Amino acid sequence: MSGVKTLSEFIIEKQDDFPFASGELTRLLNDIVIASKIVNREVNKAGLADILGATTQENIQGETQQKLDVFADDQFIAALKNGGEACGIASEENDDFLAFDSLRSKNGKYIVAFDPLDGSSNIDVNVSIGTIFSIYRRVSEMGTLATEADFLQKGENQVAAGYVIYGSSTMLVYTTGNGVNGFTLDPSIGEYCLSHPNLSIPKNGKIYSINEGNLAYCSDAINNYITYCKEIDKPTNRPYSARYIGSMVADFHRNMIKGGIFIYPETTKAPKGKLRLLYECNPMAFLMEQAGGIASTGKHRIMEIEPEELHQRVPTIMGSKNMVKELLSLYK
Ligand code: AHG
Ligand code: MN
Ligand code: MN
């Protein structure tokens, strides 16, 4: 296996970066890895197994749940519950957080917030989808049940965050606050292998990602910025290219590698935007900042927001430093 570093080897190597590390975070990350491999297996045979399409249920946000949303949610919950390192979880697909009540879980140091399946509208059409996760140290007393306060923490308090992209290959990208590293799943050995060490987003980019169909509902700042993106100006490499997949994970991943800006702003129809602070915006903001980019609502740094509720939504702008700065200057 010379030359190949697996994710498990990498995590163990990095364990010493944490003061007082005792292996729990390593085991917690491993639980997430296992669940992601099971989800990956189902995603890969989605057209064959009876896993395409919608269920008859809606989630708390009033969105119809896809079968794969529910499957992925169940897998991550089971892995984290059985692992015993997390005292509870909150998921985009569940109304409330879950506090695990086994003795081992009650003594777990961490909570995990996740979007089990990001990009649900792309499942049935074979376009990249993902999973997003965010890990915090609990604030409630060890040995007791997790409380809502454990989940309503600022993004700045995250201990680790990451995503899995089920794309042309499957990758896991994560940070523990010491940079961002990406691992590609080698299906022949069933292991994630280090393929993208020290990921950083280019300072300047050429890609803008927004659902332009919503522009009529967007502010002047957003409309003016998109007009700016389309203007011809050789010195600043404009016009930029429009790329929008509709899976945040995939749009984020492409922009991080190539340079770009991802925007899901407030609109007159959705005054707080669409994306969810706990499950989508905070983990992606942590990764974006660790990769050298900026993550903002337009008015505030995302990771400084004090969450008020589990399913809170916030406007989202993230990407290459100079591109985000250009847009933010229009907000003033
Ligand atoms: P989810 O599938 O977890 O509900 O998330 C979908 C999100 C995000 O992935 C994507 O960027 C955005 O919704 C797309 O929304 P629009 O279809 O409104 O552009
Ligand atoms: Mn999502
Ligand atoms: Mn989702």
Side-chain angles (χ1 to χ4, degrees):
M1 290 284 285
S2 67
V4 175
K5 181 163 288 173
T6 67
L7 175 57
S8 320
E9 287 169 343
F10 185 87
I11 292 174
I12 289 167
E13 234 171 61
K14 296 288 166 188
Q15 190 172 305
D16 296 341
D17 288 354
F18 297 100
F20 318 115
S22 48
E24 282 110 324
L25 185 64
T26 299
R27 286 197 289 275
L28 182 58
L29 286 167
N30 270 323
D31 296 336
I32 291 172
V33 164
I34 290 167
S36 80
K37 287 181 186 172
I38 296 172
V39 172
N40 178 62
R41 188 187 66 202
E42 294 307 298
V43 167
N44 278 325
K45 59 180 188 196
L48 300 170
D50 179 27
I51 195 117
L52 287 183
T55 64
T56 50
Q57 306 150 34
E58 279 189 352
N59 67 13
I60 178 89
Q61 357 254 339
E63 298 158 346
T64 305
Q65 288 180 308
Q66 303 296 307
K67 288 181 194 161
L68 214 47
D69 284 325
V70 176
F71 179 84
D73 195 37
D74 290 348
Q75 294 307 320
F76 281 95
I77 292 173
L80 292 165
K81 192 173 182 178
N82 295 335
E85 314 302 337
C87 60
I89 61 97
S91 154
E92 180 190 279
E93 297 302 330
N94 299 310
D95 299 6
D96 213 343
F97 67 90
L98 295 177
F100 300 143
D101 58 6
S102 73
L103 188 59
R104 175 123 194 257
S105 297
K106 282 200 281 188
N107 281 306
K109 270 190 202 159
Y110 298 101
I111 63 96
V112 185
F114 57 87
D115 175 357
L117 216 295
D118 174 67
S120 303
S121 68
N122 283 321
I123 298 170
D124 288 0
V125 290
N126 217 338
V127 172
S128 297
I129 48 182
T131 294
I132 308 172
F133 61 90
S134 168
I135 302 175
Y136 294 81
R137 210 160 272 127
R138 71 189 299 176
V139 293
S140 58
E141 213 178 300
M142 299 272 285
T144 63
L145 287 173
T147 65
E148 192 173 48
D150 292 323
F151 297 92
L152 298 183
Q153 299 191 53
K154 284 194 278 194
E156 278 182 333
N157 292 359
Q158 287 172 104
V159 177
Y163 60 81
V164 181
I165 175 165
Y166 312 100
S168 46
S169 62
T170 296
M171 277 188 74
L172 188 146
V173 175
Y174 85 104
T175 183
T176 50
N178 290 304
V180 180
N181 290 284
F183 301 79
T184 302
L185 183 64
D186 179 340
S188 66
I189 56 170
E191 291 276 5
Y192 286 104
C193 300
L194 183 61
S195 53
H196 295 63
N198 297 317
L199 274 166
S200 69
I201 182 166
K203 274 208 172 75
N204 295 296
K206 251 188 83 65
I207 296 173
Y208 69 98
S209 317
I210 183 172
N211 185 339
E212 280 198 72
N214 290 332
L215 275 187
Y217 304 119
C218 293
S219 65
D220 288 347
I222 297 293
N223 274 281
N224 292 338
Y225 181 70
I226 301 306
T227 305
Y228 166 88
C229 291
K230 294 176 177 176
E231 279 165 4
I232 301 173
D233 182 53
K234 262 212 169 137
T236 52
N237 263 323
R238 285 178 292 146
Y240 299 151
S241 286
R243 291 283 186 279
Y244 189 72
I245 295 169
S247 293
M248 183 195 201
V249 168
D251 280 309
F252 179 103
H253 185 71
R254 181 205 52 243
N255 289 0
M256 182 165 63
I257 289 174
K258 295 193 166 182
I261 185 168
F262 173 84
I263 308 166
Y264 208 112
E266 69 278 18
T267 63
T268 46
K269 277 175 56 180
K272 293 185 170 164
K274 175 180 184 187
L275 301 174
R276 286 136 289 213
L277 177 60
L278 267 63
Y279 319 114
E280 295 169 319
C281 305
N282 269 334
M284 293 310 225
F286 191 18
L287 289 157
M288 182 50 76
E289 290 193 3
Q290 284 294 316
I294 299 179
S296 167
T297 63
K299 293 180 182 136
H300 306 282
R301 180 172 166 243
I302 288 177
M303 288 208 289
E304 285 174 15
I305 299 171
E306 291 274 4
E308 284 163 8
E309 46 171 344
L310 287 178
H311 298 289
Q312 187 169 337
R313 296 171 194 262
V314 291
T316 303
I317 299 167
M318 44 179 78
S320 294
K321 233 177 202 160
N322 292 339
M323 294 183 90
V324 174
K325 280 185 181 164
E326 274 162 3
L327 171 52
L328 295 185
S329 70
L330 299 175
Y331 271 79
K332 288 183 186 131

